[in-house]
Amino acid sequence: MADLRLPALRWAEPPDGPVLVLLDQTRLPVEEVELICTDVPGLVAAIQSLAVRGAPVLGLAGAYGVALAAVRGYDVVDAARSLAQARPTAVNLAHGVERALAAYRAVGGDGPAAARAALEAAVALHREDAAASDRMAELGRELLGELLPGGRYRILTHCNTGALVSGGEGTALAVVRAAHRAGELRRLWVDETRPLLQGARLTAYEAARDGMAYTVLADSAAGSLFAAGEVDAVFIGADRIAADGSVANKVGSYPLAVLARHHGVPFVVVAPASTVDLATPDGAAIHIEQRPGHEVTDIAPGVPVAPVGAQAYNPAFDVTPPELVTAIVTELGVVSPVDRGNLSEVCSRSRSAESDSGDGMMKA
Ligand code: MRU
């Protein structure tokens, strides 16, 4: 299981009414503080400030948010709309909201039974996400063995893709963790992930708790690390994968893919099938969130490093084209080579069919 002292998110029912409790990721690694959401505007603010962040857990936050609105008697449709729009790129957020809303509507769209149904949908999604994380870890580790036989791997990762973003151990970091447990990880290279430092703050926090050998680097140092032959593979997560296999992930992922290709290093994306959005045809159609400039011009809230009035370019994500991605690991199988046909074939598998066959690999 994930080695977090406090879970990324949990539902609680104290005497004064149900709440959604978040581990406030804006405060890590300095302090482990929980943020208690009693209403939907509070949860939307937590999502937008990245107190809760990362695609799979955003799906859970969306689903529990609908349940929170339902059990507390708020306007559920309005709540669902504001939750789904809180951040635009991670498709899991809208999926989670839709799933809980559909369950709520399926039993009449009003009253305690409907509220219970929304909550049950959120809990089911939570459980499924943990199971998907376990399966991705297994498949990702197998893939590592195929790509780099006999290896003690030096893996580079970007942003944070661990237990903080998941009901389980995460996506890409779950694979790294599985390799670490098996004694196969030589070093985890952790991109700091400017501007909000999800790598330096959060991935390093998780790696340290797990006792991994890890090193944090400035994002701009990655090139020289590849050139020195110090990177065996890149493993990252995804916020939305378009039907053609284009991958939107934390800004800075695309340059890593270009570097990886130049240096002949595998570039692997690990994401649950729920992150694949077959309704988005290609990378150009993915809506990329633009965040406030102060996140770039200030090194910490209220600590500017650029002249007053400096303009900033601050996309939260970038898009890596499918031809630069070696493989996409989902809980339903591994897509490689990455193209429209292979991606849709893996996504059309049902989870039960996949585990019945015992074969998660899809190679074309
Ligand atoms: O802006 P964030 O911190 O929510 O961005 C998160 C990422 O880009 C992660 O890499 C992505 O959600 C995959 S996490 C499984």
Side-chain angles (χ1 to χ4, degrees), residues 20-349:
L20 186 61
V21 184
L22 309 173
L23 173 57
D24 185 347
Q25 297 191 33
T26 64
R27 312 271 286 269
L28 291 173
V30 177
E31 34 181 15
E32 295 170 342
V33 179
E34 289 192 320
L35 187 65
I36 296 174
C37 298
T38 56
D39 60 21
V40 171
L43 177 56
V44 167
I47 291 170
Q48 290 175 337
S49 70
L50 309 200
V52 60
R53 48 148 295 282
V57 87
L58 285 175
L60 303 183
Y64 280 115
V66 170
L68 186 66
V71 296
R72 285 193 168 256
Y74 305 132
D75 181 332
V76 173
V77 173
D78 198 47
R81 192 176 310 114
S82 61
L83 284 163
Q85 291 171 353
R87 293 189 74 193
T89 305
V91 69
N92 303 63
L93 176 58
H95 280 168
V97 167
E98 280 157 22
R99 176 141 168 201
L101 184 62
Y104 176 80
R105 283 181 164 147
V107 284
D110 196 18
R116 203 163 39 250
L119 181 57
E120 281 166 8
V123 170
L125 186 63
H126 203 150
R127 219 178 287 122
E128 287 165 23
D129 186 59
S133 167
D134 287 351
R135 185 67 180 136
M136 287 186 284
E138 234 174 281
L139 292 175
R141 194 177 145 234
E142 276 171 28
L143 179 69
L144 259 173
E146 286 179 23
L147 293 170
L148 306 164
R152 290 248 306 139
Y153 318 116
R154 295 161 301 176
I155 297 177
L156 176 71
T157 194
H158 191 69
C159 199
N160 171 260
T161 62
L164 291 168
V165 303
S166 166
E169 292 199 325
T171 59
L173 202 60
V175 176
V176 172
R177 196 169 257 143
H180 169 61
R181 274 198 290 262
E184 297 163 352
L185 181 71
R186 193 156 133 206
R187 179 147 305 269
L188 179 64
W189 297 114
V190 179
D191 262 8
E192 64 171 349
T193 316
R194 278 279 289 153
L196 295 180
L197 305 175
Q198 288 93 331
R201 294 188 303 107
L202 307 175
T203 299
Y205 166 79
E206 293 201 47
R209 290 190 68 88
D210 276 3
M212 291 179 197
Y214 75 93
T215 302
V216 179
L217 59 140
D219 300 332
S220 48
S224 55
L225 199 61
F226 277 98
E230 295 284 334
V231 182
D232 298 319
V234 178
F235 272 67
I236 61 159
D239 286 82
R240 187 180 298 241
I241 300 173
D244 70 343
S246 296
V247 174
N249 190 53
K250 178 54 55 197
V251 69
S253 299
Y254 170 51
L256 290 178
V258 175
L259 277 169
R261 176 55 53 92
H262 182 72
H263 291 281
V265 166
F267 183 89
V268 178
V269 173
V270 186
S274 55
T275 300
V276 178
D277 179 16
L278 296 176
T280 296
D282 53 32
I286 299 176
H287 181 170
I288 299 295
E289 175 185 4
Q290 299 292 325
R291 295 198 49 95
H294 68 76
E295 291 178 350
V296 171
T297 56
D298 296 10
I299 196 67
V303 187
V305 287
V308 174
Q311 294 199 0
Y313 170 59
N314 190 18
F317 304 98
D318 60 23
V319 177
T320 300
E323 60 273 18
L324 294 183
V325 180
T326 309
I328 298 175
V329 178
T330 77
E331 76 280 23
L332 301 179
V334 176
V335 182
S336 181
V338 178
D339 60 33
R340 204 176 281 275
N342 289 342
L343 186 62
S344 91
E345 185 173 345
V346 167
C347 289
S348 68
R349 296 175 184 178

